[in-house]
Amino acid sequence: MAHKLNQIFSALADPTRRDILIMLLEDDMAVTDIAEPFEMSLAAISKHLIVLSKAGLVLQERRGRVKWCKLDPEAMHAAFVWIQTFGQLDPINLDTFEEFLEKEKLLNNSESI
Amino acid sequence: MAHKLNQIFSALADPTRRDILIMLLEDDMAVTDIAEPFEMSLAAISKHLIVLSKAGLVLQERRGRVKWCKLDPEAMHAAFVWIQTFGQLDPINLDTFEEFLEKEKLLNNSESI
DNA sequence: ACTTTATTCAACCAAATAGTTGAATAATAG
DNA sequence: CTATTATTCAACTATTTGGTTGAATAAAGT
Protein backbone atom coordinates (compact mmCIF):
# COMPACT_ATOMS: atom_id res chain seq x y z
CA MET A 1 0.00 0.00 0.00
CA ALA A 2 1.50 3.21 -1.21
CA HIS A 3 0.99 6.18 1.01
CA LYS A 4 1.86 6.04 4.68
CA LEU A 5 -1.33 7.91 5.53
CA ASN A 6 -3.33 5.12 3.92
CA GLN A 7 -1.81 2.66 6.33
CA ILE A 8 -2.14 4.92 9.34
CA PHE A 9 -5.77 5.83 8.78
CA SER A 10 -6.84 2.33 7.86
CA ALA A 11 -5.05 1.00 10.94
CA LEU A 12 -7.02 3.52 13.01
CA ALA A 13 -10.27 2.54 11.31
CA ASP A 14 -10.57 -0.69 13.27
CA PRO A 15 -11.99 -0.49 16.81
CA THR A 16 -9.93 -3.44 18.06
CA ARG A 17 -6.78 -1.70 16.93
CA ARG A 18 -7.81 1.58 18.53
CA ASP A 19 -8.45 -0.33 21.75
CA ILE A 20 -5.00 -1.89 21.55
CA LEU A 21 -3.44 1.54 21.13
CA ILE A 22 -5.29 2.77 24.21
CA MET A 23 -4.05 -0.22 26.19
CA LEU A 24 -0.50 0.56 25.14
CA LEU A 25 -0.81 4.07 26.51
CA GLU A 26 -0.58 2.55 29.94
CA ASP A 27 2.46 0.42 29.40
CA ASP A 28 4.40 -1.72 26.98
CA MET A 29 2.85 -5.15 26.70
CA ALA A 30 3.46 -8.62 25.30
CA VAL A 31 1.22 -9.91 22.51
CA THR A 32 -0.46 -12.51 24.72
CA ASP A 33 -1.30 -9.94 27.40
CA ILE A 34 -2.71 -7.57 24.82
CA ALA A 35 -4.93 -10.36 23.51
CA GLU A 36 -6.29 -11.30 26.91
CA PRO A 37 -9.28 -8.91 27.25
CA PHE A 38 -10.47 -9.50 23.70
CA GLU A 39 -12.79 -12.24 22.63
CA MET A 40 -11.01 -13.10 19.43
CA SER A 41 -8.14 -15.50 18.88
CA LEU A 42 -4.54 -14.73 19.67
CA ALA A 43 -3.67 -15.07 16.00
CA ALA A 44 -6.18 -12.36 15.14
CA ILE A 45 -4.62 -10.00 17.67
CA SER A 46 -1.19 -10.87 16.38
CA LYS A 47 -2.34 -9.82 12.92
CA HIS A 48 -3.77 -6.57 14.23
CA LEU A 49 -0.43 -5.83 15.85
CA ILE A 50 1.36 -6.45 12.59
CA VAL A 51 -0.98 -3.98 10.91
CA LEU A 52 -0.29 -1.41 13.62
CA SER A 53 3.39 -2.08 13.35
CA LYS A 54 3.47 -1.67 9.56
CA ALA A 55 1.57 1.58 9.93
CA GLY A 56 4.26 2.76 12.31
CA LEU A 57 1.90 3.14 15.23
CA VAL A 58 3.45 0.38 17.32
CA LEU A 59 7.00 -0.85 17.74
CA GLN A 60 7.62 -4.52 18.37
CA GLU A 61 10.81 -5.72 19.94
CA ARG A 62 11.45 -9.37 20.51
CA ARG A 63 13.18 -10.30 23.74
CA GLY A 64 13.45 -14.03 24.09
CA ARG A 65 10.16 -15.62 23.18
CA VAL A 66 8.23 -12.51 24.17
CA LYS A 67 7.51 -9.75 21.66
CA TRP A 68 7.10 -6.48 23.48
CA CYS A 69 4.82 -3.92 21.93
CA LYS A 70 5.02 -0.22 22.57
CA LEU A 71 3.48 2.86 21.11
CA ASP A 72 5.38 4.76 18.50
CA PRO A 73 3.89 8.25 18.53
CA GLU A 74 5.46 9.13 15.20
CA ALA A 75 2.77 7.84 12.83
CA MET A 76 -0.10 9.01 15.00
CA HIS A 77 1.47 12.43 14.88
CA ALA A 78 1.55 12.31 11.09
CA ALA A 79 -2.18 11.64 10.99
CA PHE A 80 -2.75 14.37 13.52
CA VAL A 81 -0.78 16.83 11.46
CA TRP A 82 -2.67 15.88 8.31
CA ILE A 83 -6.03 16.48 9.90
CA GLN A 84 -4.93 19.61 11.66
CA THR A 85 -3.34 21.09 8.58
CA PHE A 86 -6.36 20.13 6.55
CA GLY A 87 -8.82 22.10 8.60
CA GLN A 88 -6.43 24.43 10.32
CA LEU A 89 -8.06 23.08 13.44
CA ASP A 90 -7.04 24.40 16.81
CA PRO A 91 -5.84 21.76 19.22
CA ILE A 92 -8.40 21.21 21.89
CA ASN A 93 -7.67 20.67 25.50
CA LEU A 94 -8.91 17.57 27.23
CA ASP A 95 -7.34 16.28 30.35
CA THR A 96 -8.64 12.98 31.53
CA PHE A 97 -9.63 9.62 30.23
CA GLU A 98 -13.09 10.14 31.68
CA GLU A 99 -13.62 13.14 29.46
CA PHE A 100 -12.39 11.09 26.56
CA LEU A 101 -14.93 8.38 27.32
CA GLU A 102 -17.62 11.02 27.59
CA LYS A 103 -16.76 12.23 24.12
CA GLU A 104 -16.89 8.72 22.79
CA LYS A 105 -20.25 8.12 24.39
CA LEU A 106 -21.69 11.27 22.81
CA LEU A 107 -20.29 10.22 19.47
CA ASN A 108 -21.84 6.77 19.78
CA ASN A 109 -25.23 8.16 20.70
CA SER A 110 -25.37 10.56 17.81
CA GLU A 111 -24.43 7.70 15.55
CA SER A 112 -27.37 5.52 16.54
CA ILE A 113 -29.86 8.14 15.39
CA MET B 1 -20.68 -0.37 10.16
CA ALA B 2 -20.24 0.05 13.84
CA HIS B 3 -18.52 3.06 15.23
CA LYS B 4 -18.60 6.50 13.66
CA LEU B 5 -14.83 6.65 14.06
CA ASN B 6 -14.56 3.48 11.97
CA GLN B 7 -16.32 5.24 9.12
CA ILE B 8 -14.35 8.45 9.50
CA PHE B 9 -10.93 6.84 9.62
CA SER B 10 -11.64 4.38 6.85
CA ALA B 11 -12.97 7.21 4.70
CA LEU B 12 -9.72 9.06 5.33
CA ALA B 13 -7.67 5.94 4.49
CA ASP B 14 -8.24 6.29 0.75
CA PRO B 15 -6.04 8.76 -1.15
CA THR B 16 -8.72 9.57 -3.71
CA ARG B 17 -11.07 10.52 -0.91
CA ARG B 18 -8.42 12.63 0.82
CA ASP B 19 -7.83 14.40 -2.49
CA ILE B 20 -11.54 15.06 -2.84
CA LEU B 21 -11.62 16.58 0.64
CA ILE B 22 -8.71 18.83 -0.23
CA MET B 23 -10.49 19.93 -3.42
CA LEU B 24 -13.54 20.80 -1.36
CA LEU B 25 -11.48 23.04 0.91
CA GLU B 26 -11.39 25.48 -1.95
CA ASP B 27 -15.07 25.52 -2.79
CA ASP B 28 -18.28 23.54 -2.96
CA MET B 29 -18.42 21.41 -6.09
CA ALA B 30 -20.73 19.27 -8.18
CA VAL B 31 -20.03 15.53 -8.50
CA THR B 32 -19.05 15.75 -12.16
CA ASP B 33 -16.60 18.55 -11.51
CA ILE B 34 -15.05 16.66 -8.62
CA ALA B 35 -14.59 13.64 -10.88
CA GLU B 36 -12.96 15.57 -13.70
CA PRO B 37 -9.27 15.51 -12.60
CA PHE B 38 -9.36 11.81 -11.65
CA GLU B 39 -8.71 8.98 -14.02
CA MET B 40 -11.43 6.72 -12.74
CA SER B 41 -15.06 6.59 -13.76
CA LEU B 42 -17.69 9.02 -12.59
CA ALA B 43 -19.53 6.19 -10.86
CA ALA B 44 -16.43 5.41 -8.82
CA ILE B 45 -16.18 9.02 -7.67
CA SER B 46 -19.87 9.04 -6.90
CA LYS B 47 -19.29 6.05 -4.64
CA HIS B 48 -16.38 7.74 -2.92
CA LEU B 49 -18.60 10.74 -2.25
CA ILE B 50 -21.24 8.50 -0.73
CA VAL B 51 -18.61 7.03 1.57
CA LEU B 52 -17.48 10.52 2.58
CA SER B 53 -21.06 11.56 3.09
CA LYS B 54 -21.90 8.55 5.28
CA ALA B 55 -18.81 9.25 7.35
CA GLY B 56 -20.11 12.79 7.85
CA LEU B 57 -17.15 14.40 6.17
CA VAL B 58 -19.11 15.79 3.23
CA LEU B 59 -22.61 17.17 2.88
CA GLN B 60 -24.48 16.64 -0.35
CA GLU B 61 -27.36 18.85 -1.35
CA ARG B 62 -29.27 18.30 -4.53
CA ARG B 63 -30.34 21.39 -6.46
CA GLY B 64 -31.99 20.46 -9.69
CA ARG B 65 -29.99 17.78 -11.40
CA VAL B 66 -26.78 18.90 -9.72
CA LYS B 67 -25.69 17.50 -6.39
CA TRP B 68 -23.52 20.01 -4.61
CA CYS B 69 -20.88 18.68 -2.26
CA LYS B 70 -19.39 20.64 0.59
CA LEU B 71 -17.15 19.88 3.51
CA ASP B 72 -18.73 19.14 6.83
CA PRO B 73 -16.02 19.82 9.42
CA GLU B 74 -17.89 17.97 12.15
CA ALA B 75 -16.64 14.43 11.52
CA MET B 76 -13.10 15.51 10.78
CA HIS B 77 -13.15 17.26 14.10
CA ALA B 78 -14.21 14.05 15.82
CA ALA B 79 -11.22 12.21 14.38
CA PHE B 80 -9.00 15.10 15.36
CA VAL B 81 -10.30 15.00 18.90
CA TRP B 82 -9.78 11.27 19.12
CA ILE B 83 -6.16 11.48 18.04
CA GLN B 84 -5.38 14.48 20.13
CA THR B 85 -7.04 13.11 23.21
CA PHE B 86 -5.25 9.85 22.66
CA GLY B 87 -1.90 11.56 22.84
CA GLN B 88 -2.86 13.48 25.93
CA LEU B 89 -4.02 10.54 27.98
CA ASP B 90 -2.51 9.99 31.36
CA PRO B 91 -1.93 6.42 32.44
CA ILE B 92 -5.35 4.89 32.73
CA ASN B 93 -6.58 2.35 35.21
CA LEU B 94 -7.45 -0.99 33.76
CA ASP B 95 -10.89 -1.25 35.34
CA THR B 96 -12.03 1.80 33.46
CA PHE B 97 -10.62 0.36 30.29
CA GLU B 98 -12.43 -2.93 30.76
CA GLU B 99 -15.67 -1.01 31.24
CA PHE B 100 -14.91 0.86 28.08
CA LEU B 101 -14.45 -2.37 26.16
CA GLU B 102 -17.71 -3.69 27.60
CA LYS B 103 -19.61 -0.65 26.43
CA GLU B 104 -18.13 -0.91 22.97
CA LYS B 105 -19.07 -4.57 22.81
CA LEU B 106 -22.65 -3.87 23.80
CA LEU B 107 -22.82 -1.06 21.30
CA ASN B 108 -21.52 -3.20 18.49
CA ASN B 109 -23.94 -6.00 19.28
CA SER B 110 -26.95 -3.71 19.33
CA GLU B 111 -25.88 -2.23 16.02
CA SER B 112 -25.44 -5.50 14.23
CA ILE B 113 -29.08 -6.43 14.84
C1' DA C 1 -41.08 16.42 -27.96
C1' DC C 2 -36.33 15.31 -28.18
C1' DT C 3 -31.64 15.56 -26.63
C1' DT C 4 -28.24 16.40 -23.53
C1' DT C 5 -26.46 16.53 -18.85
C1' DA C 6 -25.95 14.96 -13.97
C1' DT C 7 -26.05 11.37 -11.11
C1' DT C 8 -26.96 6.89 -9.45
C1' DC C 9 -28.14 1.92 -9.82
C1' DA C 10 -27.23 -2.93 -10.78
C1' DA C 11 -24.49 -6.51 -11.79
C1' DC C 12 -20.24 -7.98 -11.84
C1' DC C 13 -15.10 -8.70 -10.69
C1' DA C 14 -10.55 -8.77 -8.31
C1' DA C 15 -8.27 -7.83 -4.35
C1' DA C 16 -8.07 -6.82 0.48
C1' DT C 17 -9.72 -7.54 5.29
C1' DA C 18 -10.84 -9.76 9.48
C1' DG C 19 -11.64 -13.67 11.34
C1' DT C 20 -11.05 -18.95 12.14
C1' DT C 21 -8.31 -23.44 13.24
C1' DG C 22 -4.32 -26.32 13.46
C1' DA C 23 0.46 -26.87 12.80
C1' DA C 24 5.13 -24.86 13.13
C1' DT C 25 8.87 -22.45 15.38
C1' DA C 26 11.57 -21.09 18.96
C1' DA C 27 12.72 -19.85 23.67
C1' DT C 28 12.25 -21.12 28.59
C1' DA C 29 11.38 -24.11 32.55
C1' DG C 30 11.60 -28.42 34.96
C1' DC D 1 15.55 -34.17 27.07
C1' DT D 2 10.80 -32.97 27.40
C1' DA D 3 7.03 -30.08 28.25
C1' DT D 4 5.24 -25.56 28.23
C1' DT D 5 4.79 -20.94 26.60
C1' DA D 6 4.82 -17.15 23.13
C1' DT D 7 4.12 -16.06 18.74
C1' DT D 8 3.44 -16.66 13.93
C1' DC D 9 2.35 -19.24 9.67
C1' DA D 10 -0.71 -21.51 6.40
C1' DA D 11 -4.83 -22.50 4.61
C1' DC D 12 -9.36 -21.47 4.44
C1' DT D 13 -13.82 -18.60 4.64
C1' DA D 14 -16.94 -14.71 4.57
C1' DT D 15 -17.39 -9.97 3.93
C1' DT D 16 -16.00 -5.51 2.29
C1' DT D 17 -13.80 -2.53 -0.90
C1' DG D 18 -12.74 -0.16 -5.06
C1' DG D 19 -13.19 -0.45 -9.45
C1' DT D 20 -15.65 -1.46 -14.09
C1' DT D 21 -19.67 -1.08 -17.64
C1' DG D 22 -24.29 -0.27 -19.27
C1' DA D 23 -28.82 1.00 -18.16
C1' DA D 24 -32.00 3.98 -15.50
C1' DT D 25 -33.71 8.31 -13.71
C1' DA D 26 -34.54 12.88 -13.72
C1' DA D 27 -33.84 17.70 -14.65
C1' DA D 28 -32.68 21.35 -18.25
C1' DG D 29 -31.92 23.08 -22.74
C1' DT D 30 -33.44 23.66 -27.58
Side-chain angles (χ1 to χ4, degrees):
Chain A
M1 205 178 295
H3 204 289
K4 198 82 194 174
L5 281 175
N6 298 6
Q7 287 174 274
I8 296 168
F9 281 127
S10 77
L12 293 177
D14 185 279
T16 301
R17 288 194 290 260
R18 286 195 305 274
D19 288 343
I20 290 174
L21 292 174
I22 291 171
M23 292 172 73
L24 290 176
L25 276 173
E26 189 178 9
D27 203 1
D28 301 355
M29 293 177 81
V31 176
T32 307
D33 295 330
I34 291 171
E36 200 270 328
F38 296 96
E39 272 172 358
M40 66 188 69
S41 71
L42 182 57
I45 296 294
S46 172
K47 282 186 185 178
H48 279 306
L49 284 165
I50 289 167
V51 170
L52 287 167
S53 171
K54 282 187 178 160
L57 290 158
V58 161
L59 285 170
Q60 295 184 290
E61 183 196 350
R62 181 149 229 147
R63 279 205 295 277
R65 62 183 166 182
V66 176
K67 200 176 206 175
W68 292 94
C69 304
K70 60 185 271 189
L71 285 182
D72 184 351
E74 197 77 10
M76 184 78 79
H77 188 253
F80 183 70
V81 165
W82 188 89
I83 293 183
Q84 189 181 18
T85 306
F86 178 88
Q88 288 101 38
L89 296 168
D90 291 326
I92 42 99
N93 236 309
L94 292 177
D95 294 328
T96 67
F97 186 60
E98 281 69 27
E99 279 183 71
F100 168 69
L101 289 181
E102 206 47 42
K103 282 276 180 186
E104 286 245 336
K105 215 161 52 184
L106 290 175
L107 190 66
N108 293 342
N109 291 342
S110 68
E111 161 199 359
S112 58
I113 297 174
Chain B
M1 201 176 301
H3 204 288
K4 197 82 197 179
L5 281 174
N6 298 5
Q7 289 175 272
I8 296 167
F9 281 126
S10 76
L12 293 177
D14 185 277
T16 302
R17 289 193 290 260
R18 286 197 305 275
D19 287 345
I20 290 174
L21 291 174
I22 290 171
M23 292 172 72
L24 290 175
L25 274 175
E26 187 127 7
D27 204 357
D28 303 354
M29 292 177 82
V31 175
T32 308
D33 295 331
I34 292 171
E36 200 271 326
F38 295 97
E39 270 171 0
M40 66 189 68
S41 70
L42 181 57
I45 296 294
S46 172
K47 281 187 185 178
H48 279 306
L49 284 164
I50 289 167
V51 170
L52 288 167
S53 171
K54 282 187 177 159
L57 291 158
V58 161
L59 284 170
Q60 295 183 290
E61 183 196 349
R62 181 148 229 147
R63 278 205 297 277
R65 62 183 165 181
V66 177
K67 200 175 205 176
W68 291 94
C69 304
K70 60 185 271 189
L71 286 180
D72 184 350
E74 197 75 12
M76 184 78 79
H77 188 254
F80 183 72
V81 166
W82 188 89
I83 293 182
Q84 212 232 339
T85 306
F86 177 88
Q88 275 198 351
L89 288 179
D90 292 326
I92 56 172
N93 83 47
L94 252 186
D95 295 335
T96 313
F97 182 68
E98 301 273 359
E99 278 179 36
F100 171 60
L101 282 186
E102 268 310 302
K103 283 182 188 172
E104 280 223 327
K105 212 162 55 187
L106 291 174
L107 182 72
N108 293 342
N109 291 343
S110 69
E111 270 167 11
S112 57
I113 296 173

